[in-house]
Amino acid sequence: MEKTFQPRDVEQRWYQLWEQRGYFAPASENPKTANSAGDPFCIMIPPPNVTGSLHMGHAFQHTIMDALTRYQRMNGKNTLWQVGTDHAGIATQMVVERKLAAESNQSRHDLGRDAFIDKIWEWKESSGGTITQQMRRLGNSVDWPSERFTMDDGFYAGVQQAFIQLHEQGLIYRGKRLVNWDPKLQTAISDLEVENKDSKGSMWHIRYPLADGAKTADGKDYLIVATTRPETLLGDTGVAVNAKDPRYKDLIGKFITLPLINRRIPIIGDDHADMEKGTGCVKITPAHDFNDYEVGKRNKLSLINILSRDGMIRSIAEVFDCEGNVSTDYDNQLPEQYAGLERFAARKAVVADIDALGLLDDVKAHDLSVPYGDRSNVVIEPMLTDQWYVDAKTLAKPAIEAVEDGSVKFVPKQYENMYFSWMREIQDWCISRQLWWGHRIPAWYDEEGNVYVGFDENNVREKHSLASEIKLTQDDDVLDTWFSSALWTFGTLGWPEITERLKTFHPTSVLVTGFDIIFFWVARMMMMTMHFMKDENGKPQVPFETVYVTGLIRDEAGQKMSKSKGNVLDPLDMIDGISLEALLEKRTGNMMQPHLQEKIGKRTQKEFPEGIAAHGTDALRFTLAALASTGRDINWDMNRLEGYRNFCNKIWNAARYVLMNIEGQECAADNSQNYQLSLADKWIISQLQKTETAIRKHFDEYRFDLASQALYDFIWNEYCDWYLELSKPILADPNASTELQIGTRRTLARVLEATLRLAHPIMPFITEEIWQSIAPYAGINVSSDKDNGEEHSIMLQAYPTPDASKIDIEAVADIEWVQAVVIAVRNIRGEMNISPALALPVYFSNVSSQDQSRIESCGQLIQALAKVESLTCLKVGDEKPASATQLVGELEIMVPLAGFIDKDAELARLDKEIAKLDKEIGRLAGKLGNSGFVAKAPADVVAKEQQKLADAEDAKRRLQTQQQQLDEL
RNA sequence: ACGACCGUAGCUCAGUUGGUUAGAGCACUACCUUGACAUGGUAGGGGUCGGUGGUUCGAAUCCACUCGGUCGUACCA
């Protein structure tokens, strides 16, 4: 074995082997294991965006999913980790558009829809594999042969089926509504994709002249409305006042002459107008504001759309009545000076013209939050368009109940509130998008505008008995990407076909995802799945039983990782390492905002002056697991990664030690040899059982941080620090019995072997690599026997199960005593600055019979671990040498001064010890002196405290005696 | 404005239903190349658990208020 662990050498070798041998497939589909396949366990991957590459958040979630999958696979479950990618409508379309523009200076319109979609597929074939390769590097045990893509034929058919069925059931409808419109991408987006940003703007107060000579109560011939978007006045169809407002209530039913355009619009009474707020008068623009839209509907106001789809002022407005039908109630001519003006330029022009007319009453600075498209980063415009909607309220009902009654559980639980709050106020879901890349809406229109829904044109004609001469055209729009990913859990398993997999693995077991997509994805999967999937009794099936919600991975300063901040870390760079030059290129090359380049470069240089060292996949995974306390964001810490890389090396070297000592030696692998277990053997075996219990519990409770901690603690602080050291004196002792040495070798091998299995779900590679060498010494045959098809991998071994009968309480107590004595001697050595090379004579006094027998049975261990030259027990009455003293319970441990201990140093050390005890005694005495405590605290607690006080007082007394004696010398 | 979460050692984080002297890793100090490992060993230093008040015999833990931070939702004529 190499002296240090070299992850690069082992990782890919094992991954390829696992994949080739089909170890990731469900046991039920492997002829060798089909009969013994246990209960199903299934995780659906949140499909990564096909345009993307894996970031630290993926690495984190994938580590958790893989750990769960491997853990359950080793527990004998029939496991499936279903993999796939999402077509990511807008994102992918934008990537390919940009590429097209860069390469041939063409737009997608130059190319045409079909040719453009071909381009996307080409691009997907050539670059869509990035993620899957990265997942292989992370060791993810996903079932590759069944990988799905949301635009695959089978999945596509499922999406169409879902749409058609929902439409037939009246749960999908088409309507003219206000939507969030992205003028740059020219599509509707959902309000979840809108990001509200605070900004400083103005509030313009505008005079609206009253028509027909009407006057306000105080004699004015105008009303004042306030607005942050003055250009929308071109679309005003009313002014609202509160019907209770004494200032204006008499004006209700009268009219305003809209400035600039001389449109005669009614004054209406509506509660939307708040008497306390502003002037009490509100301009109503139903086609360009969500609140006004509702007011308009209530008051039967017309809708006037003044904007084109790209956010320019139209020359001719679109006028509709309150039902959305084309109307001639108003003149559709808009002032020509604004025609074709971009909306923000129009704002300026309108304000200037109003001012010129003397109608600008006031302008005030105003803080407001402005909606931006999260992809396009332009201001979103409420826009009146025809769109398809899902009746979300109906679908949400059972989905809410499933969480209420515990059919679906969130971990941590508090996310259920977030889910409820959204689901209970859910609005109908706009599912059409004006894009080319996606699932095209399976709806056709005849020339009268009648809609027919079906799988394809023929199917539609047949279904509706349409003559072949009737011309049909398919809807141009595609479905929201989340519509298809809402079908993910059952669509990937073959639905609408009822496949074996669907029957076996649905509902799935656990969903691992970020809190940021609970609304986007989790809630929608709940709605769709429960609508389409029913069990044999017709009861809706949930998509998954548990939702494990992860936090975000942030940088070390708690900042979100983003390209524009230049603080993004690539998980593969943690694994393989990267030079500073390459990292700089990665962070600053090909930037959308070149002006940030210098800042990011400097920051990177400062943070990683040497680049990043290679740490290996196992260290990365262990770090992520160790930081995964539930539901909390993680501030990434390179130092922890380094610490856990060292941990990998520690395991490696422990294995090296074990192999060095068992190779070519008898270790009772097949139990054909007699062996005897030492106290140390029994102790480490006991500790192993406890660790197994703890780690299983932690996995079952999704506490990967605690599982990692328990593993780390056992391997480093028990197995390496103590057990390996305890094994040395036995193996090195020429007088030790053969049986005892065999027992030690056997324990070295078997405990390590079990520990590797314990660690495997988190650290798959290093455990497999070592396991292959160690397992034969633990009685496991690992050679591939092609004839009977036997193949061995730690992946397919059983997860360790604790055996309470192997816990030897006495051995544990004995070794803990040994540890205490060894630490006592080491403490003296350390505090007295005695060279570790120097073997010390040690005296014991106040020796109980139990101490006596322990000294006899374990003296050799103490000598070896504390570097002690001789052990001498003093009898009662024997004169104690002048020495440095430590206490282990009643037992006094002494290292004589002669030769190596400075008297003053020892006196000072005793002072320190006594001061510590004094503090303790004071605290305990105070507590026990409190009558309330003694009277009310449980008896065992009081007794415990009393014992502690007595022990501390006794220890103090003896240290003081010691101090006195020393002082008198 | 409302809600959720967070605030524990220099840094990143644990701390189970209230009950040893509040833990870990990294960093720090001293000593050490000892035959698994210097990506290491041994010993040590470091925290009034954001603040105030309360409940309790006892509070990092429960309650109220408060300060700071993150996120979400709402409002924004």
Side-chain angles (χ1 to χ4, degrees), chain A residues 12-23 768:
Chain A
Q12 285 324 288
R13 180 157 44 83
W14 284 116
Y15 195 88
Q16 282 163 16
L17 209 79
W18 295 332
E19 189 178 346
Q20 276 164 20
R21 291 188 185 168
Y23 289 168
E768 177 77 298

Side-chain angles (χ1 to χ4, degrees), chain A residues 516-579:
Chain A
D516 48 335
I517 54 175
I518 288 181
F519 306 145
F520 277 113
W521 193 44
V522 178
R524 285 163 179 175
M525 273 195 285
M526 294 279 293
M527 293 193 280
M528 291 301 216
T529 308
M530 294 188 76
H531 184 73
F532 287 108
M533 297 296 297
K534 312 281 166 165
D535 67 13
E536 57 274 22
N537 304 317
K539 192 179 166 242
Q541 263 190 6
V542 294
F544 27 70
E545 280 146 10
T546 302
V547 183
Y548 176 90
V549 182
T550 62
L552 249 49
I553 307 268
R554 300 167 175 278
D555 73 3
E556 52 284 345
Q559 298 287 308
K560 238 180 191 166
M561 290 189 187
S562 77
K563 189 146 194 208
S564 61
K565 284 198 199 108
N567 59 352
V568 173
L569 289 171
D570 183 334
L572 260 59
D573 295 342
M574 307 284 105
I575 295 172
D576 295 330
I578 186 170
S579 68

Side-chain angles (χ1 to χ4, degrees), chain A residues 311-331:
Chain A
M312 310 290 177
I313 304 291
R314 309 175 67 100
S315 53
I316 304 290
E318 294 178 316
V319 182
F320 303 97
D321 65 19
C322 60
E323 310 281 327
N325 302 310
V326 174
S327 148
T328 53
D329 292 351
Y330 290 106
D331 182 2

Side-chain angles (χ1 to χ4, degrees), chain A residues 806-821:
Chain A
K806 286 186 178 164
I807 297 179
D808 184 329
I809 295 169
E810 282 167 32
V812 170
D814 287 346
I815 295 296
E816 283 174 355
W817 177 87
V818 169
Q819 292 176 326
V821 173

Side-chain angles (χ1 to χ4, degrees), chain A residues 444 452-468 472 474:
Chain A
W444 279 259
Y452 309 97
V453 168
F455 284 98
D456 52 35
E457 194 174 326
N458 290 336
N459 174 260
V460 162
R461 284 186 192 278
E462 200 179 320
K463 217 160 121 188
H464 299 276
S465 324
L466 299 174
S468 58
L472 292 177
Q474 187 174 3

Side-chain angles (χ1 to χ4, degrees), chain A residues 154-170:
Chain A
F155 202 91
Y156 202 110
V159 172
Q160 286 198 314
Q161 166 85 18
F163 183 95
I164 293 163
Q165 210 167 310
L166 285 167
H167 182 258
E168 282 167 359
Q169 293 161 336

